[in-house]
Amino acid sequence: MTPYRCTAPYDWGAIFALLWAEFAYMDGVVDPPSSLTRLTEAEIAGQAERGEVWAIGLPPVACVFFTYKADALYIGKLAVSAQHRRKGLASALMAVAEARAHALGLAALELQTRVELVENHLTYLAMGFVETGRSAHPGYDRPTSVTYRKRLAKEP
């Protein structure tokens, strides 16, 4: 399956449903609750306009959001349906992230994950990301998120 960029018109509800299904395990695990609880289909459409939304499959079985930063491509909402894991879909989307960062002249990828999601930490470290910081959501006196970065090699 090949990744494709989602642009209007698109079934934003399908991306929304995928995210809700695959982030449900976080309910009661992460504190504060995931930003997904405030996400709407209209905001996904807005993300596609301001940044990028990529997916694999129709209906989508994997997706990721990209946001442009001054020095990095920020990766958010990476999700792969449970039935399609261990098939290289997350790796394919991360390869798209690297290609897009190069095309945009950005030297790094950046992402955040919650402190409680230890499996995510191990996954990102295995992909070549390094921890660059920890931050707290407003109202919290402890770190709630971990920031990771991956410096990209210059293209030949």
Side-chain angles (χ1 to χ4, degrees):
M1 290 195 256
T2 304
Y4 60 90
R5 187 171 177 178
C6 305
T7 58
Y10 188 82
D11 181 4
W12 304 115
I15 297 284
F16 185 78
L18 172 65
L19 289 169
W20 266 99
E22 299 315 318
F23 283 47
Y25 78 97
M26 289 186 215
D27 190 30
V29 174
V30 298
D31 183 35
S34 170
S35 62
L36 185 64
T37 62
R38 297 179 307 279
L39 188 67
T40 66
E41 291 178 31
E43 288 170 334
I44 297 171
Q47 169 64 35
E49 290 177 19
R50 290 183 312 278
E52 300 179 18
V53 175
W54 286 76
I56 298 175
L58 284 173
V61 296
C63 69
V64 68
F65 294 1
F66 300 149
T67 301
Y68 315 128
K69 294 181 76 172
D71 62 344
L73 184 65
Y74 184 83
I75 299 167
K77 301 293 187 264
L78 176 63
V80 177
S81 71
Q83 304 89 326
H84 290 85
R85 291 192 186 141
R86 307 262 181 246
K87 296 180 180 178
L89 302 184
S91 294
L93 291 171
M94 294 303 265
V96 170
E98 288 195 27
R100 293 298 300 137
H102 280 300
L104 295 164
L106 301 171
L109 301 177
E110 184 177 277
L111 56 83
Q112 286 187 312
T113 190
R114 293 302 189 85
V115 168
E116 300 93 342
L117 303 179
V118 176
E119 284 187 27
N120 287 3
H121 301 223
L122 298 173
T123 298
Y124 296 131
L125 290 169
M127 290 180 171
F129 285 83
V130 295
E131 182 178 332
T132 59
R134 292 184 178 228
S135 57
H137 284 78
Y140 286 76
D141 61 356
R142 61 170 175 79
T144 55
S145 295
V146 181
T147 302
Y148 287 95
R149 268 194 169 234
K150 180 178 181 180
R151 294 231 74 32
L152 302 177
K154 293 193 184 240
E155 286 192 308

